[in-house]
Structures are given as C-alpha cells and as structure tokens.
C-alpha cells in the first residue's frame, strides 16, 4: 500500500507541478469514555516532494495530531475540499495559515477521502510555493488521486 500511495502522489506532483503532495491518514486514537464520541487524529504518513526542486520535508511535524487543531478541516468537511491562496486562510483558520505560510506555501488544495460508509479515511493535499496552481488541472488531478488512494487504502 505504501509504495502505491507514494506512486500516486508522485504522479500527482508531476501532473500539477506542485511542490509537495501529502496524505494525512485519519485515525481514532482514543474515545471519550463518557459519551463514546471519538476524537479524530491525523498523521501525515506520506509526503512526496517535487524532484525538480529543493523542497523542505515537513512530514515529521504532523504525527498523531488532533484534527481539531485546524478549524478548516471541520469547516470543509461538508464540501469535502478546499483550494486557494494561503492568504485567504487568515479569516478561516489562522493557525493553518501560519503553518502553511511558515513553509513558504502560497497556494494549496486539499480533499477529504471517504470510505463507502462516509467515514473520512484521510486528506490528500497539494502545496504550491514555487509555482502557481492551475485550479482546473489541480481539481481534476486531486480528485483522481483521491479516488485511487481511497481504493488502495480499502484493499
């Protein structure tokens, strides 16, 4: 599975000319004993950078973090995706804005990957620091990658 996911992410990097593609896998690290409501966590288990550029690795910064750390995740769950300028995040999620801007990201796209029961499996993302995002190409490629990765994760 790991090699398949890395291959899909690399293909997506090359097709979109982004600087980084990543997959945060969702998991339930613990439950609230009183209510049984799960607290969801994420781990960036996969990160692929553009081989044509020198891009800082950030995967190690995002291990077992609570998804509630970033309000954009809750806000965008209904839509299932986000794409745009990092500057546009200031009003939506200032913490995510600072995280992305701190790594030089100018634009990014993210899409939630769901299983058949409507439970989030993960979040695929593309980051652009040194190039401009083409929303049409990115929309097509991120949907394609999300479908392929979802299939691989459910094997």
């Amino acid at each position: 599975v790991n090699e398949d996911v890395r291959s899909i992410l690399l293909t997506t990097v090359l097709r979109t000319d982004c600087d980084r593609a990543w997959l945060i896998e969702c998991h339930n690290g613990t439950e609230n004993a009183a209510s049984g409501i799960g607290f969801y966590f994420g781990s960036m288990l996969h990160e692929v950078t553009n081989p044509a550029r020198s891009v800082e690795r950030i995967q190690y910064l995002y291990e077992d973090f609570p998804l509630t750390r970033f309000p954009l995740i809750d806000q965008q769950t209904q839509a299932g995706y986000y794409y745009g300028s990092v500057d546009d995040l200031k009003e939506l999620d200032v913490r995510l804005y600072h995280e992305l801007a701190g790594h030089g990201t100018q634009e990014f796209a993210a899409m939630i990957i769901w299983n058949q029961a409507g439970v989030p499996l993960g979040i695929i993302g593309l980051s652009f620091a040194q190039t401009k995002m083409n929303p049409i190409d990115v929309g097509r490629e991120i949907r394609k990658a999300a479908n392929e990765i979802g299939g691989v994760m459910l094997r």
Side-chain angles (χ1 to χ4, degrees):
V1 170
N2 290 334
E3 188 56 39
D4 289 342
V5 170
R6 280 191 292 273
S7 176
I8 294 165
L9 291 177
L10 178 59
T11 298
T12 306
V13 165
L14 297 174
R15 288 182 178 167
T16 62
D17 198 30
C18 67
D19 293 289
R20 171 184 297 108
W22 41 266
L23 175 67
I24 294 174
E25 290 191 43
C26 299
H27 61 89
N28 188 355
T30 186
E31 280 191 355
N32 179 318
S35 67
I37 296 173
F39 294 107
Y40 285 96
F41 293 83
S43 293
M44 186 183 289
L45 298 181
H46 302 281
E47 174 190 33
V48 174
T49 57
N50 194 314
R53 297 190 273 282
S54 175
V55 179
E56 173 192 15
R57 298 274 181 173
I58 62 168
Q59 179 178 0
Y60 71 95
L61 296 171
Y62 301 96
E63 296 177 5
D64 296 326
F65 67 94
L67 295 176
T68 55
R69 180 183 298 168
F70 302 111
L72 182 72
I73 294 172
D74 285 335
Q75 294 167 7
Q76 296 304 316
T77 298
Q78 294 299 320
Y81 67 92
Y82 176 88
Y83 67 92
S85 163
V86 169
D87 288 335
D88 292 342
L89 288 176
K90 285 180 188 176
E91 292 180 26
L92 299 172
D93 189 335
V94 71
R95 186 173 190 164
L96 184 57
Y97 161 77
H98 285 295
E99 293 271 340
L100 293 171
H103 300 298
T105 301
Q106 301 294 315
E107 298 175 299
F108 88 106
M111 177 167 276
I112 297 175
I113 301 170
W114 306 93
N115 71 9
Q116 297 91 337
V119 176
L121 296 173
I123 304 166
I124 182 174
L126 308 176
S127 302
F128 295 81
Q130 300 177 37
T131 59
K132 291 297 239 176
M133 177 172 53
N134 178 320
I136 294 170
D137 291 343
V138 166
R140 180 185 60 245
E141 296 301 328
I142 200 168
R143 284 191 305 272
K144 187 184 303 181
N147 286 333
E148 292 175 7
I149 291 172
V152 168
M153 291 174 76
L154 292 171
R155 281 191 210 159

